[in-house]
Amino acid sequence: MQNAIRLIAFTAAALAALGPEPAFAAGPYPDQPVRLIVPYPAGGAVDGAARILAERLSAIWSQAVIVENRPGASGRIGLALAAKSPPSHTLVAATNSTLNEQLTRGQDGAAPAAADLVPVSTLFTTPVALLVNRQAVPAESLAQYVELARAKPGAVSFGSSGEGTSTHFFGELLKREKDIDITHIPFAGEGPNLSGLIGGHVGSAFLSASGATKAAQTGKTRVLAVTTPRGSALLPGVPSFDQLGIAGLDRDTWVGLYAPRGTPQPVVDRITTDVATVLATSDVRERYAQLGLVAEGGTSRDLAARMEDDRQYWARVVQQTGITLR
């Protein structure tokens, strides 16, 4: 309950940051290179999306936008770096999982609060899918997967992108809803999780549509279900957990763009507008779709509202699963 209260203050601070700002000196923005921190390993969905965005913003701004991977601690290291950076010329792309870590890790162990970061825009959403390694877990459907897990409690493992991430919680929700014992194997990001599944180091894994698409191309995996309630055009023909009668696994993951606190509102507005321009172009949307992502955009207030809605959803999940991480 105390962590939930802190998260309410977290979101309130984000909304407060969107209020009136001191006047911003007129002039071109940016007037120097911009750093875009990706607090996850190279090769993942966030990294790919950030590099496409950086390429297009560089062209619009006539300034270099430099993507800097700072992985570690499920994204907390990169977010902490962004929060301590000078305002206006640093951005960070963060998943909802990282931003919600206060729900499970407490104030001291979690990522920087919204008081340290200003919402800018939503970059993309993506469904999460459950896949199996065909050889390790020869399930043709989710029903068969559940049967195998029940027949050998603890023998079926599932990989996630790290403790406390949405991919971890989806596994815990599945265990709870179907009363099965599957073993959680956390990895340091989606790239390692994907490699673990393809290599057979885990029997199953929860991956973004991007990771699921890459896994399917190897021929070694099978997609069983997706979290988007009515299915997803990114993974055609794959049923949703909701359609299969499993409640609770009905939330896509998303990534937001943030700036350090103190970034003037006119700068935030300029970045928001230019990001929306980039994400609205047909070729960028197609490139995102090829990565298994749905380009979004939207205002800083839209992102703040998304954060609050997401916090409430995952607060319920934390309460249901009883997971606390330290």
Side-chain angles (χ1 to χ4, degrees):
M1 178 63 70
Q2 186 177 15
N3 287 339
I5 292 173
R6 285 170 174 163
L7 258 293
I8 293 172
F10 171 104
T11 307
L15 292 168
L18 301 176
E21 292 282 345
F24 178 64
Y29 175 86
D31 57 2
Q32 65 186 64
V34 174
R35 179 170 62 163
L36 173 49
I37 296 173
V38 175
Y40 314 104
V46 184
D47 180 64
R51 292 182 185 279
I52 293 170
L53 178 67
E55 171 191 316
R56 295 309 178 90
L57 289 179
S58 294
I60 292 174
W61 292 342
S62 298
Q63 286 283 354
V65 179
I66 303 167
V67 176
E68 183 178 329
N69 294 91
R70 287 297 186 98
S74 299
R76 298 192 301 279
I77 291 175
L79 254 68
L81 175 63
K84 296 175 182 177
S85 298
S88 299
H89 292 87
T90 297
L91 299 169
V92 61
T95 67
N96 57 327
S97 294
T98 300
L99 293 166
N100 283 329
E101 277 201 332
Q102 285 184 348
L103 291 170
T104 52
R105 294 189 183 274
Q107 183 75 18
D108 294 336
D116 302 317
L117 296 168
V118 177
V120 175
S121 181
T122 304
L123 293 187
F124 65 80
T125 60
T126 182
V128 175
L130 173 64
L131 295 87
V132 294
N133 179 290
R134 291 173 181 264
Q135 184 173 359
V137 181
E140 299 284 341
S141 65
L142 184 60
Q144 290 185 6
Y145 177 89
V146 171
E147 288 176 5
L148 289 171
R150 282 183 177 153
K152 296 182 178 180
V156 175
S157 59
F158 77 94
S160 77
S161 298
E163 288 188 316
T165 63
S166 60
T167 51
H168 174 198
F169 279 110
F170 283 133
E172 299 297 333
L173 284 170
L174 181 59
K175 289 170 63 174
R176 178 179 179 273
E177 291 297 320
K178 301 305 292 184
D179 192 25
I180 56 177
D181 181 10
I182 51 178
T183 303
H184 176 224
I185 308 296
F187 289 91
E190 176 156 280
N193 188 21
L194 172 61
S195 297
L197 177 68
I198 294 172
H201 303 297
V202 289
S204 62
F206 282 89
L207 296 167
S208 70
S210 172
T213 300
K214 293 176 183 177
Q217 292 170 350
T218 69
K220 296 181 178 181
T221 67
R222 178 178 288 108
V223 187
L224 300 184
V226 67
T227 58
T228 305
R230 290 179 295 278
S232 172
L234 296 173
L235 295 169
V238 178
S240 71
F241 288 97
D242 187 64
Q243 290 168 335
L244 294 171
I246 300 178
L249 285 78
D250 57 359
R251 175 68 51 127
D252 290 349
T253 192
W254 52 267
V255 166
L257 189 68
Y258 299 84
R261 183 168 177 82
T263 300
Q265 190 61 42
V267 170
V268 173
D269 293 341
R270 170 67 190 273
I271 298 170
T272 298
T273 298
D274 292 341
V275 168
T277 298
V278 169
L279 297 182
T281 59
S282 59
D283 60 329
V284 168
R285 297 185 72 84
E286 176 61 27
R287 289 175 70 182
Y288 270 44
Q290 291 172 356
L291 292 173
L293 314 173
V294 178
E296 289 288 337
T299 68
S300 52
R301 289 188 180 276
D302 292 336
L303 178 52
R306 185 187 294 268
M307 290 167 62
E308 173 58 16
D309 176 71
D310 206 63
R311 185 203 66 76
Q312 292 182 17
Y313 175 90
W314 290 109
R316 289 193 298 270
V317 171
V318 170
Q319 184 177 27
Q320 290 171 353
T321 60
I323 293 176
T324 300
L325 305 174
R326 297 299 179 192

